[in-house]
C-alpha cells in the first residue's frame, strides 16, 4: 500500500476530513494532510481512515509540500480500557522503544512493523490507542527512514490528530450504554478489535 505515491487520487477526491462510526468520530488532517478516500470505510460503530500529504495524493495540484508520512485511524467498539503501548508492542511481537504520555493518548514507538506501510517506510513507527465513549480509537504514524516524524515531532503529530478527534466527537448517550462487561479475556478483545480493521 502506498498512499505517498497514489496516482489515482485526484484533487477533487481528497478530503480535508471525514466522519466514521455513524458520524460519531471525525478525523481531520492537520494543514497539508488529507484523507485518502480510496481506503476509507465506515459502519455504524467502526471505521478506518488514512491521512497523507495532500500535495502528493493530488499529484502536486493541492496543498503545500509537507513531510511525507502516513497516519491510520481505526475505530472499533470499545470493550474496556485502551491497551497501553507495552501491550500493543507485545501484541505486535515487537520491542517498545519509548513511551510518551501525551495530552490526548499514551503513545509508544514500536521497533518494527512500519516497513510494511509503504515503499521506503521505516520499521520504527508510533502507535497508540484511547477510548472515546463507546469507541476504541487506534492511531498509528508511519514515516520514511530518516524522517523527523520518527522522533518527537511524530509523537506530537499523532497527539494533534488525536486531540482533534476528541474535540470533534459526537457521542450518543445510548451508544455509551452498549458498552458491556465480557467474560472473555478483556485484553484479547481490545487488541483484536483494534487490529481488525486493516490497520497497517
Amino acid at each position: 500500500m502506498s498512499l505517498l505515491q497514489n496516482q489515482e487520487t485526484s484533487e477533487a477526491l481528497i478530503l480535508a476530513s471525514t466522519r466514521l462510526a455513524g458520524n460519531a468520530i471525525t478525523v481531520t488532517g492537520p494543514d497539508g494532510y488529507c484523507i485518502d478516500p480510496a481506503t476509507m470505510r465506515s459502519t455504524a460503530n467502526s471505521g478506518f481512515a488514512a491521512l497523507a500529504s495532500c500535495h502528493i495524493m493530488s499529484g502536486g495540484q493541492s496543498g503545500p509540500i509537507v513531510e511525507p508520512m502516513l497516519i491510520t485511524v481505526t475505530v472499533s467498539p470499545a470493550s474496556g480500557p485502551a491497551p497501553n503501548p507495552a501491550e500493543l508492542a507485545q501484541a505486535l511481537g515487537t520491542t517498545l522503544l519509548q513511551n510518551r504520555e501525551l495530552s490526548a493518548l499514551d503513545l509508544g514507538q514500536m521497533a518494527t512493523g512500519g516497513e510494511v506501510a509503504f515503499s521506503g517506510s521505516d520499521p520504527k513507527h508510533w502507535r497508540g490507542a484511547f477510548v472515546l465513549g463507546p469507541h476504541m480509537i487506534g492511531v498509528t504514524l508511519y514515516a520514511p527512514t530518516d524522517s523527523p516524524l520518527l522522533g518527537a515531532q511524530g509523537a506530537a503529530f499523532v497527539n494533534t490528530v488525536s486531540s482533534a478527534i476528541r474535540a470533534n466527537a459526537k457521542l450518543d448517550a445510548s451508544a455509551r450504554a452498549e458498552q458491556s462487561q465480557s467474560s472473555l479475556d478483556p485484553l484479547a478483545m481490545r487488541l483484536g478489535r483494534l487490529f481488525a480493521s486493516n490497520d497497517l
Side-chain angles (χ1 to χ4, degrees), residues 1-16 33-40 50-62 70:
M1 180 180 185
S2 177
L3 292 178
L4 303 183
Q5 298 176 344
N6 191 339
Q7 301 298 325
E8 298 179 357
T9 305
S10 69
E11 180 182 4
L13 289 178
I14 58 176
L15 305 170
Y33 296 92
C34 295
I35 307 292
D36 175 33
T39 57
M40 183 186 70
L51 292 138
S53 163
C54 307
H55 185 82
I56 293 175
M57 285 197 292
S58 66
Q61 299 302 306
S62 177
L70 172 66

Side-chain angles (χ1 to χ4, degrees), residues 4-142:
L4 303 183
Q5 298 176 344
N6 191 339
Q7 301 298 325
E8 298 179 357
T9 305
S10 69
E11 180 182 4
L13 289 178
I14 58 176
L15 305 170
S17 66
T18 189
R19 292 180 178 178
L20 306 175
N23 294 331
I25 302 299
T26 299
V27 179
T28 303
D31 290 344
Y33 296 92
C34 295
I35 307 292
D36 175 33
T39 57
M40 183 186 70
R41 63 185 179 278
S42 181
T43 68
N45 59 6
S46 64
F48 177 87
L51 292 138
S53 163
C54 307
H55 185 82
I56 293 175
M57 285 197 292
S58 66
Q61 299 302 306
S62 177
I65 296 175
V66 293
E67 288 288 343
M69 62 92 222
L70 172 66
I71 277 192
T72 62
V73 177
T74 304
V75 183
S76 59
S79 60
N84 62 44
E87 291 170 335
L88 291 173
Q90 183 177 7
L92 291 168
T94 189
T95 300
L96 178 64
L97 297 177
Q98 57 177 304
N99 180 37
R100 291 178 179 260
E101 294 183 9
L102 304 174
S103 60
L105 79 171
D106 195 6
L107 190 65
Q109 186 184 53
M110 308 295 153
T112 59
E115 66 278 4
V116 302
F118 55 85
S119 177
S121 61
D122 195 275
K124 296 189 299 294
H125 63 286
W126 291 103
R127 186 181 290 266
F130 60 98
V131 171
L132 193 57
H135 307 289
M136 178 81 74
I137 315 292
V139 186
T140 306
L141 182 147
Y142 307 95

